[in-house]
Amino acid sequence: WSSDVWLFDQESFKDGNIDIISIVHQAGLASSRSEARRAVEQGGVSVNGEKVSAIDAVFPMELFEDGVVVKKGKKNFRKVTV
């Protein structure tokens, strides 16, 4: 794996879903959940090119099977997979 690909385990998902704040934090794009929440609130986070501005946004585990690109700001991004 390259350093830009992050592997989430099954325990990261609750009932087969994961919230946007957990994604940003666990992918290493934010040092804390608070920082992740601020980034989402300010419109600086996108998942597969689509901006996410709702802090309660939830994504299903199936979405991550092929890998998802999570971006924070202009230059910070990670590919996340299960």
Side-chain angles (χ1 to χ4, degrees), residues 12-77:
S12 299
F13 295 84
K14 290 182 187 155
D15 300 324
N17 294 310
I18 189 168
D19 64 281
I20 187 63
I21 294 171
S22 297
I23 294 170
V24 174
H25 180 238
Q26 291 180 27
L29 292 169
S31 59
S32 67
R33 289 183 58 85
S34 296
E35 182 184 332
R37 180 186 311 267
R38 279 191 298 276
V40 172
E41 288 173 339
Q42 293 168 4
V45 175
S46 66
V47 174
N48 277 349
E50 292 190 26
K51 192 155 117 175
V52 179
S53 54
I55 59 170
D56 58 352
V58 176
F59 298 88
M61 189 180 342
E62 298 82 45
L63 183 68
F64 294 87
E65 289 172 359
D66 294 328
V68 170
V69 176
V70 180
K71 189 173 176 186
K72 178 185 155 230
K74 290 185 178 180
K75 298 179 182 174
N76 297 322
F77 58 92

